[in-house]
Amino acid sequence: MPVLLIRQIPLFASLSPVELETLVSMLRRRSIHKGDFLFHKGDEGTALYIISKGLIKIAVPTKQGDEVTLAMLMDGDFFGEMALLDDMPRSADAVAMSDTQLYVLNRTDFLSFLIHDEHAVRAIFQALSLRLRRTDDMVAEVCFLNVSARLAKRLADLVTSQHQAEKDDQAVDIHLTQRELASLIGVSRETINRELKVLRQKGILTTARNTITIHDLERLKQRIK
């Protein structure tokens, strides 16, 4: 299972089976309960994390006591790679939104692995480039898309990242509160509430306590303009 999980991560996509097995032997397992922080902004960064099962929110606290959600990471996602490379403190908080199981790769082991593998170094550059492109996309969303389009895009991305919908007409549950979704998009909870009401009236989705169910992914995607 760890080999299959690692193979899906762009950071390690070009590694050979032998290299993957070597990397897997360095992983350690860790469990974290819903609501617990894996780390806080400013903590020393010493490890890369891979989510085996669960949901992790990456967020930055504000001076006003609020937070800006940068990402909601799910099964197969990885994070913490920058701390492995630059030896700098964590730039955001990481908190479990559900009971989560992780694989942990410590910096010392990781750097030792890289020193002996040129292909792994190239894969890391590609993965970091992808992360930068995603950051550019987020900035572009705020600058050029209205709230309705940003909400539609974020919901569609969450559906895709969960790998649950094989067809656009398949219902998919997204487990987020309206406050968390508002933070992810960068608007108020009241704004999200109004936008979700419109989508409910159009039959695109339904909402229940802390759950948004997408019923028509194709129509949702059409709202991204």
Side-chain angles (χ1 to χ4, degrees):
M1 176 59 181
V3 173
L4 296 177
L5 189 62
I6 284 182
R7 186 179 288 123
Q8 298 174 10
I9 299 175
L11 198 63
F12 309 123
S14 66
L15 301 184
S16 69
V18 173
E19 292 168 332
L20 288 172
E21 290 290 351
T22 301
L23 194 60
V24 165
S25 69
M26 300 177 179
L27 297 178
R28 301 293 179 265
R29 299 198 67 167
R30 179 174 176 182
S31 297
I32 181 172
H33 295 297
K34 178 180 179 180
D36 289 346
F37 280 81
L38 187 61
F39 53 76
H40 291 85
K41 180 180 179 181
D43 288 351
E44 181 183 5
T46 60
L48 162 74
Y49 297 95
I50 306 167
I51 301 175
S52 173
K53 183 177 179 59
L55 179 65
I56 295 288
K57 177 174 69 174
I58 307 297
V60 177
T62 67
K63 294 181 179 179
Q64 292 73 30
D66 299 320
E67 65 177 24
V68 176
T69 301
L70 302 180
M72 299 293 292
L73 303 178
M74 305 172 190
D75 301 6
D77 287 332
F78 67 97
F79 58 100
E81 69 276 13
M82 294 303 295
L84 290 179
L85 300 174
D86 61 16
D87 198 24
M88 297 291 287
R90 298 294 187 187
S91 59
D93 294 341
V95 60
M97 305 306 293
S98 67
D99 289 347
T100 300
Q101 298 175 4
L102 304 138
Y103 289 102
V104 184
L105 179 62
N106 289 321
R107 177 194 292 125
T108 302
D109 294 332
F110 185 67
L111 293 180
S112 175
F113 174 76
L114 290 183
I115 289 173
H116 300 93
D117 198 306
E118 180 182 348
H119 292 97
V121 174
R122 286 202 295 267
I124 287 172
F125 286 143
Q126 292 173 355
L128 294 179
S129 176
L130 178 60
R131 284 294 178 95
L132 289 174
R133 290 179 185 276
R134 288 178 178 172
T135 300
D136 290 343
D137 289 342
M138 290 177 64
V139 173
E141 284 181 26
V142 174
C143 293
F144 302 114
L145 296 181
N146 59 35
V147 174
S148 297
R150 283 157 58 191
L151 174 60
K153 186 177 187 304
R154 188 63 60 184
L155 290 174
D157 288 345
L158 287 170
V159 169
T160 302
S161 66
Q162 291 186 63
H163 307 291
Q164 291 183 10
E166 296 180 359
K167 299 179 181 179
D168 286 345
D169 59 353
Q170 181 179 352
V172 180
D173 289 336
I174 299 173
H175 301 290
L176 284 177
T177 66
Q178 291 188 18
R179 185 175 300 278
E180 290 164 352
L181 185 57
S183 178
L184 194 59
I185 297 173
V187 297
S188 69
R189 180 184 178 281
E190 291 73 20
T191 298
I192 288 296
N193 186 278
R194 289 195 298 269
E195 293 294 331
L196 290 176
K197 181 179 179 180
V198 171
L199 295 176
R200 285 197 302 268
Q201 292 172 341
K202 293 180 178 295
I204 294 175
L205 57 75
T206 55
T207 58
R209 182 176 178 81
N210 299 340
T211 301
I212 300 169
T213 301
I214 308 298
H215 296 285
D216 196 330
L217 181 58
E218 182 57 35
R219 288 178 62 198
L220 181 66
K221 291 178 177 178
Q222 291 174 1
R223 296 177 64 84
I224 306 173
K225 299 179 180 179

